[in-house]
Amino acid sequence: QVQLVESGGGSVQAGGSLRLSCTTSGNIYTGACMAWFRQAPGKEREAVATAYTHGGMPYYADSVMGRFTISQDNAKNTVYLQMNSLKPEDTSMYFCAAAPPTAYSGSFCYTAQPLYNYWGHGTQVTVSS
């Protein structure tokens, strides 16, 4: 059974940093698109960053470009989201998700949520001004 477990959320002041982790267990895909999504209260869930476990280019939402970095340690089955220069508008529940290789374009992973079969339960990030 595949499980994705997020950790690393918390409360920080604007300008601060957090690193989220997503550890997977079970038989996840050989070559997978890993993604971070977020959802703020009253808003739709949106893609933040995606990366393919076997190369390619990461994707970042315009709102986090230059501040967030997605990375992975395949030996540890863990995907990270380093978040720097946090802003109050980054306050959201952050979710990790995994999609099969069919979500990989050959250069980057698509962000369409229906492509992602496995989801974590989320970790809350709160940024105060």
Side-chain angles (χ1 to χ4, degrees), residues 30-55:
T30 300
C33 280
M34 301 301 298
W36 288 95
F37 292 84
R38 68 184 182 185
Q39 186 169 23
K43 294 189 177 181
E44 292 186 355
R45 189 163 54 187
E46 62 177 354
V48 175
T50 70
Y52 186 55
T53 55
H54 287 64

Side-chain angles (χ1 to χ4, degrees), residues 16-101:
S17 298
L18 284 173
R19 188 177 79 157
L20 306 183
S21 299
C22 171
T23 300
T24 66
S25 61
N27 288 325
I28 205 162
Y29 310 108
T30 300
C33 280
M34 301 301 298
W36 288 95
F37 292 84
R38 68 184 182 185
Q39 186 169 23
K43 294 189 177 181
E44 292 186 355
R45 189 163 54 187
E46 62 177 354
V48 175
T50 70
Y52 186 55
T53 55
H54 287 64
M57 297 174 57
Y59 158 87
Y60 295 101
D62 289 345
S63 57
V64 307
M65 185 80 70
R67 301 187 297 121
F68 290 12
T69 303
I70 187 170
S71 63
Q72 55 205 328
D73 186 335
N74 291 341
K76 295 183 178 180
N77 296 322
T78 301
V79 178
Y80 304 97
L81 186 68
Q82 178 66 45
M83 305 186 296
N84 298 328
S85 301
L86 282 161
K87 304 176 180 180
E89 51 263 43
D90 294 318
T91 295
S92 284
M93 183 72 78
Y94 284 73
F95 299 90
C96 176

